[in-house]
Amino acid sequence: MLEAGVAPSRLFVVERDEALHNLLVKRFPQVRILLGDAAELTTLLRPLGISRASAIVSGLPLLAMRDSVRDRIVEESFAVLAPGAPFIQFTYGLASPIPRRKLGVRGEVKSRVLNNLPPASVWLYHRPTATAA
Ligand SMILES: C[S@@+](CC[C@H](N)C(=O)[O-])C[C@H]1O[C@@H](n2cnc3c(N)ncnc32)[C@H](O)[C@@H]1O
């Protein structure tokens, strides 16, 4: 994301694993790397004064999570996202890693990386705003 031109000051990274968190802090000192659970995203961001995000990019293993944890992460994410803003998810599964109807989101595959092993997909989701629904 930094290479793609996202300003470090606009990037907040959430990682639950302490060892990976420490590595990321060392490698990307200009980015705010938060140690915590994405299921508590609003609580993690509140002390930083962040109540609105313009996008969330997730490499979380949603397919391996309990439904309740996955749903909580999606709800916390859309609570933080600005209206209409995207939730972008990498996945190795073929089907949507987020149950769209259940969670009231729209989503589609934006790209497939077939030469990755296993092949990966990038899904882009948004939650329709009341006026757009
Ligand atoms: C497949 S790796 C992705 C690594 C990297 N973030 C990326 O997108 O390329 C999944 C990462 O999600 C982290 N993770 C899993 N559940 C989490 C949660 N509830 N909150 C924050 N991080 C979590 C794991 O510790 C692991 O580092």
Side-chain angles (χ1 to χ4, degrees), residues 14-17 20 36-39 58-61 65 69 73 90 92:
V14 177
E15 173 53 56
R16 191 176 62 177
D17 179 79
L20 180 54
D37 189 336
S58 162
L60 292 169
M65 292 175 180
V69 175
I73 288 172
F90 298 88
Y92 299 130

Side-chain angles (χ1 to χ4, degrees), residues 70-93:
R70 175 205 61 205
D71 293 356
R72 171 83 189 255
I73 288 172
V74 172
E75 290 303 340
E76 283 280 299
S77 296
F78 279 102
V80 167
L81 283 167
F87 179 95
I88 299 160
Q89 175 71 38
F90 298 88
T91 183
Y92 299 130

